[in-house]
């Protein structure tokens, strides 16, 4: 328990920024019109790709006994890849809507 309290006290500024950025992001995304959701998702895919690369670098630099860093890296890669794959699937479906259909 002391380790958790020590971690929180050392990183209070970063945690505060993370929480405020999360609320700000939810507020901004909530106000986006429906027409712009798919282009916004494409941008999020690019950001998730950067998260995947960052998490891979994090795991590569972590020591074998640093389980917290390895776990956070694994969670980062997993969640970002779910976002990337889902985003590509939705973007592909959107692009299919604009293709001309063959009339026979």
């Amino acid at each position: 328990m002391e380790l958790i309290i020590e971690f929180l006290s050392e990183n209070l500024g970063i945690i505060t920024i993370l929480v405020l950025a999360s609320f700000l992001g939810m507020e901004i995304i909530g106000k986006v019109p429906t027409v712009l959701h798919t282009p916004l998702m494409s941008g999020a895919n690019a950001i998730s790709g950067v998260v995947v690369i960052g998490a891979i670098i994090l795991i590569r630099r972590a020591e074998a006994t640093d389980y917290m860093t390895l776990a956070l890296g694994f969670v980062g890669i997993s969640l970002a890849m779910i976002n990337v794959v889902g985003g590509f699937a939705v973007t592909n479906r959107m692009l299919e809507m604009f293709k001309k259909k063959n009339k026979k």
Side-chain angles (χ1 to χ4, degrees), residues 10-70:
E10 288 177 2
N11 298 307
L12 188 61
I14 294 172
I15 293 170
T16 304
I17 291 172
L18 177 66
V19 170
L20 291 175
S22 299
F23 284 126
L24 179 66
M26 287 182 350
E27 189 67 27
I28 290 172
I29 296 297
K31 304 231 187 284
V32 172
T34 338
V35 177
L36 297 177
H37 274 262
T38 303
L40 186 63
M41 184 181 291
S42 296
N45 283 341
I47 294 170
S48 292
V50 172
V51 170
V52 169
I53 300 299
I56 290 171
I57 292 171
L58 178 73
I59 287 177
R60 292 283 298 157
R61 292 184 181 214
E63 294 181 20
T65 57
D66 191 1
Y67 299 117
M68 182 69 158
T69 303
L70 294 172

